Amino acid sequence: MSNKTIIIVGGALAGPAAASRAREIDGKARIILLERNTRVSYALAGLSFHLSGEVKSLEELNREREDYFRQVYQIEVHTRTEVKRIDPKKKTLLVVSHGKEEILSYDRLIFATGASSIHPEGLPKVSNFRYFRTLDDLAAIKQSLKKGKKRILILGGGSMGLEALDGCVRGGAEVTLIEKEKHILPQFSENISKLVEEKLSKKAKLLTGVNRLEFITKNDSVTEVIADGKKIKCDFIVSAIGVYPRTELLKEAGVKLQQDGTILVNEFCQTNIPHIYACSICVSVPSPRGPVWIPQAAVSDKTAQVAGANAAGDSVKLGVFSASMQIRLPEWEVGRVGLTGKEALLEAGKNNLGKVLILAKDKEPYLPGSSEITLELFFHLKSGKLLGLEAVGTNIKSRLDAFAAAFTLNGTIVSLAQSDFAYTPAFGTARDALNIAATVALQIQKGQTKIVEPSELKRNRKDFFLLDVSLKKTKNKEFDDSIPLESLRTSVKELKTKLEASRKNKIAVISDSGRRGHLAFCILKENGMTAFNVIGGKKLYSLFGD
């Protein structure tokens, strides 16, 4: 150990974690933590829980304050201090603290500035607007709710926007959410997004595919927003339309950046300048598909642990990241792991991308409180390699975690189908939802079942004879015929006659959840008919327009 100086730039989440870890490795180093805002070490991922009322005080999100780091870790903490320039040759920083310029020297530098919020285009400077990023933002939103100004407009339907929505709805707000893409959660598949939208629409107003926003102001406040001609009255605007990495200082200092502006680090969190380390959501991290940007709190912490340890003299390596994420919603949860649907398509190619969507239960259906889980699994058709998973429902975390482990270890649908998960009826089913999804994937790979997505079926409706095989016979005009599964074997001859009369050569079988549809597919296949099972069943099919 030596009396070296380690300076950490950025004090929200990663910076304090890196500083603390560095102190645990080196007890003699001088460690300085610089933060331009008023607080350090706040729980960024917990913002929505204060809005909901579950975390009563902002101080609960900001427990480890400046005094804590000074007293416990002997770390020098400087808030309201901004770094203006980095000189890597001289190993110095030009900082402005409380209006005064100062030069600080270092032996090791850890860059942990994170990201900045993107400002909504056309929005002027007003008093009733905040990003969803800091404790000061949170305090302003909470104050609006306390004053009874509860018409909250949230811009952005990604993960951050939905976290803000969850907190505001639980806190009693009347929420309108606006997203420019055609569905919320643009990184998720349209199937999963549709299911989330259907559930959320009962709790908030959702406007998607919005191209143009106009802001109507009075005095210093926005009173109305016009979204593609639709007027929306509001008391407060929260922006969660995205972030960009704060890496300009490092770029000026000669540090190599990725095309998206993130910092390219090695497995030790070193930049191309060895004495400069980087962590938090301004770095790209290792993944099975190479360096990727994953702007999430868990990534900040993991990279901070590595950067802090190594800057202090240890030799710790980053693991492989699976891009796991989970969002709590007012009634459900939604999450994903691995490649998105678009990334999986690029990875596997159109002819080799396999996809499964299943509806299952989070626990044994005979137990009170048993509820639905929907999983969408992406895999490589030829090799069976796991590519990605999306989930919506309740109690989905264990499924996401199990898939993350399998994905990181280059698992396949074979291993996942036979994975022996912990079981008790209160928390799962004897054959877990993950086992079921992987088993269906194997059936697709072996040609034992064929599927059609609701969106594809709607687009090519004229090519399919749509057969309902639900328990009870229905008279829905949307379906060409309705034959309960139990009667299908004895009705094949009659069905063939109707199919011939319709001049269609393909049958799409649909049921409530998809399980009965698969069994119907098997019967029709045995009888020489070309059949497809509609994934997601009637529930998902009904969410797609003509």
Side-chain angles (χ1 to χ4, degrees):
M1 297 184 188
S2 61
N3 292 322
K4 60 176 172 280
T5 298
I6 301 172
I7 295 182
I8 299 95
V9 182
L13 174 61
S20 303
R21 186 66 180 136
R23 172 59 74 217
E24 291 168 11
I25 300 300
D26 190 337
K28 292 182 179 180
R30 182 188 182 195
I31 301 177
I32 304 171
L33 179 61
L34 307 178
E35 169 56 41
R36 64 175 182 168
N37 290 314
T38 59
R39 296 179 172 94
V40 298
S41 190
Y42 57 86
L44 181 63
L47 299 184
S48 66
F49 299 99
H50 178 58
L51 291 179
S52 68
E54 293 160 280
V55 176
K56 300 300 180 185
S57 167
L58 283 177
E59 300 311 313
E60 294 182 55
L61 297 174
N62 187 218
R63 287 181 174 178
E64 296 181 356
R65 305 174 75 173
E66 294 94 316
D67 290 345
Y68 177 86
F69 287 99
R70 292 190 186 105
Q71 294 165 4
V72 176
Y73 290 101
Q74 202 175 1
I75 292 170
E76 300 173 35
V77 179
H78 300 271
T79 56
R80 297 184 176 89
T81 300
E82 187 169 4
V83 178
K84 291 295 186 180
R85 187 170 63 248
I86 300 171
D87 188 332
K89 291 182 179 179
K90 295 181 180 179
K91 293 187 178 181
T92 60
L93 303 177
L94 172 64
V95 303
V96 176
S97 182
H98 302 277
K100 295 182 180 180
E101 286 191 351
E102 183 181 359
I103 298 291
L104 296 177
S105 297
Y106 65 86
D107 295 294
R108 297 288 185 272
L109 179 67
I110 301 175
F111 197 79
T113 54
S116 294
S117 298
I118 298 171
H119 190 79
E121 185 178 349
L123 177 64
K125 187 175 181 179
V126 289
S127 61
N128 62 338
F129 162 76
R130 282 283 182 167
Y131 301 113
F132 196 66
R133 292 279 295 160
T134 69
L135 295 186
D136 292 336
D137 293 334
L138 196 60
I141 301 167
K142 188 73 172 180
Q143 190 62 27
S144 179
L145 294 176
K146 282 184 176 179
K147 289 180 178 179
K149 297 181 178 180
K150 296 189 174 184
R151 294 177 300 184
I152 305 293
L153 180 68
I154 297 173
L155 303 178
S159 58
M160 194 178 297
L162 291 196
E163 286 177 6
L165 180 148
D166 180 65
C168 288
V169 167
R170 291 174 188 267
E174 300 169 20
V175 175
T176 300
L177 183 141
I178 295 176
E179 169 56 47
K180 69 176 182 178
E181 300 296 337
K182 66 178 182 178
H183 57 75
I184 63 171
L185 294 171
Q187 282 192 309
F188 284 68
S189 75
E190 188 174 13
N191 291 330
I192 295 297
S193 295
K194 287 279 189 183
L195 290 169
V196 176
E197 285 178 3
E198 189 266 339
K199 198 75 171 178
L200 277 186
S201 62
K202 299 171 185 176
K203 297 290 182 179
K205 295 178 182 177
L206 306 178
L207 298 178
T208 56
V210 175
N211 294 309
R212 179 177 172 79
L213 290 178
E214 297 177 62
F215 301 94
I216 310 300
T217 61
K218 184 177 181 181
N219 298 326
D220 69 338
S221 298
V222 174
T223 57
E224 284 184 336
V225 173
I226 303 176
D228 287 347
K230 181 180 177 64
K231 288 185 178 181
I232 305 160
K233 294 184 181 296
C234 64
D235 297 315
F236 203 94
I237 296 176
V238 178
S239 178
I241 60 176
V243 295
Y244 61 91
R246 287 183 57 218
T247 55
E248 297 85 359
L249 277 172
L250 283 190
K251 183 178 181 180
E252 292 169 3
V255 169
K256 186 176 180 180
L257 304 182
Q258 295 277 75
Q259 194 169 3
D260 58 12
T262 57
I263 305 162
L264 184 64
V265 294
N266 64 14
E267 58 191 349
F268 301 103
C269 278
Q270 288 175 301
T271 68
N272 58 298
I273 301 175
H275 66 263
I276 298 180
Y277 295 78
C279 58
S280 84
I281 58 172
C282 59
V283 304
S284 286
V285 294
S287 81
R289 63 186 189 282
V292 295
W293 185 30
I294 308 173
Q296 295 175 19
V299 173
S300 283
D301 182 74
K302 290 179 177 67
T303 54
Q305 297 294 326
V306 172
N310 293 334
D314 205 346
S315 182
V316 181
K317 294 182 180 181
L318 286 173
V320 175
F321 289 80
S322 62
S324 301
M325 66 170 295
Q326 185 175 1
I327 310 164
R328 188 186 72 166
L329 303 174
E331 290 184 354
W332 276 6
E333 307 147 24
V334 62
R336 55 169 301 274
V337 180
L339 306 187
T340 66
K342 291 179 181 178
E343 290 168 342
L345 180 60
L346 290 173
E347 174 84 6
K350 185 177 180 180
N351 295 328
N352 264 316
L353 177 61
K355 184 188 296 188
V356 167
L357 187 143
I358 61 112
L359 279 66
K361 292 290 184 179
D362 68 328
K363 63 187 73 170
E364 294 292 6
Y366 53 74
L367 282 174
S370 175
S371 58
E372 194 171 80
I373 290 179
T374 301
L375 300 183
E376 187 161 25
L377 172 68
F378 303 104
F379 64 100
H380 194 286
L381 262 177
K382 189 174 181 179
S383 68
K385 181 181 177 182
L386 300 173
L387 298 178
L389 178 76
E390 298 182 6
V392 62
T394 55
N395 302 318
I396 63 173
K397 187 178 187 303
S398 63
R399 281 85 188 182
L400 295 172
D401 289 343
F403 188 89
F407 174 78
T408 303
L409 295 172
N410 293 314
T412 66
I413 53 177
V414 173
S415 59
L416 189 61
Q418 294 299 323
S419 290
D420 185 20
F421 300 118
Y423 169 66
T424 181
F427 301 114
T429 52
R431 185 157 41 132
D432 190 80
L434 272 180
N435 297 136
I436 296 170
T439 298
V440 175
L442 279 171
Q443 291 172 335
I444 291 173
Q445 187 186 52
K446 295 176 180 179
Q448 295 170 350
T449 192
K450 290 184 179 180
I451 61 168
V452 61
E453 292 196 58
S455 57
E456 181 187 348
L457 179 58
K458 290 274 188 176
R459 287 195 303 269
N460 303 293
R461 183 65 181 85
K462 65 181 187 303
D463 299 328
F464 289 90
F465 185 95
L466 185 52
L467 174 66
D468 177 22
V469 293
S470 300
L471 183 61
K472 293 183 179 179
K473 192 176 180 69
T474 60
K475 293 183 179 180
N476 191 327
K477 292 181 180 179
E478 181 70 19
F479 308 139
D480 293 303
D481 199 3
S482 175
I483 304 173
L485 174 66
E486 292 78 0
S487 306
L488 187 57
R489 289 187 184 278
T490 58
S491 304
V492 168
K493 186 176 180 180
E494 176 189 346
L495 178 61
K496 284 184 174 181
T497 301
K498 290 181 178 180
L499 180 63
E500 188 177 345
S502 72
R503 296 185 178 180
K504 298 174 182 180
N505 58 6
K506 294 185 287 188
I507 297 180
V509 287
I510 192 167
S511 58
D512 291 328
S513 68
R515 172 61 179 166
R516 293 170 66 86
H518 169 66
L519 297 175
F521 163 87
C522 294
I523 293 171
L524 297 179
K525 182 183 177 184
E526 288 172 12
N527 284 274
M529 304 172 79
T530 303
F532 298 82
N533 184 20
V534 182
I535 62 171
K538 292 181 181 178
K539 183 174 184 178
L540 186 59
Y541 182 77
S542 67
L543 301 180
F544 286 84
D546 295 329

